[in-house]
Amino acid sequence: MASNAAVPFWRAAGMTYITYSNICANLVRNCLKEPYKTEALSREKVHFSISKWTDGKPEKPTLRSDSPEE
Amino acid sequence: MLRRASMLLACRSILAARARPFSTDLPAAPSADATFTEAWTKVIPNMDPPKTPLSFMQPRPPTPSSIPSKLTVNFVLPYASELATKEVDMVIVPATTGQMGVLPGHVATIAELKPGVLSVHEGSEMTKYFVSSGFVFIHANSFADIIAVEAVPLDRLDVNLVQKGLAEFTSKLSSATTDLEKAEAQIGIDVHSALNSALTG
């Protein structure tokens, strides 16, 4: 069969559907009126700790508390 | 010779269609495995057999033979369930192929949603939500599952922020260099113009 039909512009630019969907959701949340906007942004905050492993041992973990990125 | 070939093709396709039912017409899955429960009661007659996840789930309602009068809608977000098995007359969803009206008896469809307005029509009332993106699964038994990442009632949106965003992304598009930046700016424009037309239209 021929290759897939015209891909959406975001996939042609190398973005995945999840990235696209999260960007759309963030843009909508940024356009909310005040009490709802702070609720929504605080609901979507993430906190996580990452540790890289070398030679089978974890290094010191770094705590990241990013507001959700794309 | 050609006539026989076309007849054979027609016969084969009819036979194949009859032999393999559509997946949308599957019967409801059984909620408990009969062989397991029998084997359990033989070995341990005093204890009840453990419940499996399947027994907690509600079985899929079968496809009725006549078109039902109401559409059952499940509208869910990652953090909340907006509508749970609500019976409505019609929903209009913003599919990527355009606004799609879903009535009871709609053909089974899977559609990707684009940023736009979702309206739920029940009797004489209509509730509108702005959906950021998601999917809608319409089943043959007139159940519609709408899943969205973010959906807000229109009165929670701020017109000024929307217009500011639109202007900002339009300027970003003209100053974008890489493909990725252009795509992001384009997404921004799409979302904000959909928001704009939802608020003004």
Side-chain angles (χ1 to χ4, degrees):
Chain A
M1 279 192 47
S3 70
N4 289 330
V7 291
F9 64 89
W10 39 268
R11 194 173 282 284
M15 205 187 282
T16 62
Y17 178 78
I18 291 211
T19 317
Y20 164 71
S21 186
N22 284 337
I23 294 182
C24 289
N26 276 327
L27 293 173
V28 172
R29 277 182 217 123
N30 283 332
C31 292
L32 287 172
K33 282 188 188 153
E34 224 354 274
Y36 305 112
K37 185 170 178 180
T38 37
E39 267 176 38
L41 292 179
S42 63
R43 187 201 314 138
E44 297 295 325
K45 277 199 189 310
V46 290
H47 302 263
F48 51 95
S49 95
I50 291 187
S51 45
K52 289 200 191 295
W53 288 58
T54 45
D55 295 334
K57 287 198 208 15
E59 295 176 352
K60 187 169 186 319
T62 55
L63 205 56
R64 296 197 31 197
S65 155
D66 290 328
S67 46
E69 307 177 291
E70 47 204 59
Chain B
M1 184 186 82
L2 282 175
R3 228 181 305 152
R4 277 213 61 199
S6 58
M7 240 170 36
L8 276 173
L9 268 176
C11 281
R12 199 168 311 147
S13 63
I14 294 177
L15 278 177
R18 244 185 302 172
R20 244 179 317 140
F22 290 121
S23 65
T24 48
D25 291 344
L26 285 175
S31 60
D33 190 351
T35 41
F36 174 73
T37 39
E38 280 170 27
W40 177 278
T41 43
K42 253 188 257 170
V43 179
I44 315 175
N46 298 336
M47 284 172 65
D48 284 328
K51 287 193 164 194
T52 54
L54 259 184
S55 63
F56 288 103
M57 284 172 59
Q58 303 198 328
R60 177 215 305 260
T63 311
S65 45
S66 67
I67 297 181
S69 60
K70 294 275 205 186
L71 181 71
T72 318
V73 170
N74 295 318
F75 179 24
V76 293
L77 303 172
Y79 51 86
S81 156
E82 280 292 329
L83 302 171
T85 53
K86 176 147 193 252
E87 307 236 316
V88 298
D89 296 319
M90 170 170 79
V91 291
I92 302 188
V93 296
T96 44
T97 50
Q99 296 284 100
M100 179 162 77
V102 183
L103 290 160
H106 196 284
V107 65
T109 313
I110 301 182
E112 182 192 337
L113 300 179
K114 66 174 180 216
V117 177
L118 171 94
S119 43
V120 179
H121 299 249
E122 167 62 19
S124 55
E125 23 169 276
M126 178 175 74
T127 345
K128 286 196 192 179
Y129 300 89
F130 186 86
V131 164
S132 71
S133 62
F135 289 91
V136 62
F137 299 87
I138 306 168
H139 304 280
N141 52 11
S142 292
F143 269 64
D145 298 322
I146 308 175
I147 51 179
V149 179
E150 191 65 54
V152 296
L154 294 182
D155 51 13
R156 294 193 190 174
L157 291 167
D158 186 344
V159 179
N160 301 322
L161 289 175
V162 171
Q163 288 173 342
K164 232 176 37 161
L166 185 56
E168 186 193 325
F169 280 96
T170 324
S171 66
K172 271 198 198 164
L173 181 61
S174 45
S175 68
T177 45
T178 67
D179 256 350
L180 195 55
E181 278 176 32
K182 282 198 205 131
E184 286 174 13
Q186 184 63 46
I187 296 176
I189 295 184
D190 286 344
V191 173
H192 284 99
S193 38
L195 278 164
N196 217 357
S197 49
L199 289 172
T200 53

